[in-house]
Amino acid sequence: MTKVVYLNDSGIAYEEAESYFKSAAEWAKIQCQSFIGYHVQDVSDVSLTNDFVASYSFKDPKDAVWFELKYR
């Protein structure tokens, strides 16, 4: 069963969002054996509060929880 964790760019400057999401993925690659990958979606056309939302996928729910504790 795949567990997905979502992060958004709240409180992050537009120019820094891509770097933030990439560094979170790099952390997950090193710290979470079950990390599958991530995807960043531009939601600026449909959201009044966010420009980007990123989804991070994990095979093991424990790794997903660990990631959430670090980044939420």
Side-chain angles (χ1 to χ4, degrees):
M1 176 183 213
T2 301
K3 170 75 171 155
V4 178
V5 177
Y6 295 95
L7 299 180
N8 60 49
D9 61 350
S10 293
I12 301 169
Y14 179 86
E15 301 80 22
E16 297 172 5
E18 184 178 342
S19 174
Y20 174 73
F21 294 135
K22 184 177 179 181
S23 69
E26 290 172 358
W27 183 91
K29 283 180 196 176
I30 295 168
Q31 301 297 327
C32 306
Q33 286 185 326
S34 73
F35 179 65
I36 299 169
Y38 78 112
H39 173 75
V40 178
Q41 181 69 44
D42 182 342
V43 295
S44 60
D45 291 345
V46 295
S47 174
L48 298 175
T49 58
N50 299 109
D51 292 315
F52 300 102
V53 173
S55 62
Y56 297 80
S57 301
F58 301 85
K59 292 179 186 173
D60 185 344
K62 289 182 246 171
D63 282 340
V65 170
W66 194 19
F67 181 82
E68 284 181 305
L69 290 172
K70 171 75 173 164
Y71 284 98
R72 283 202 176 173

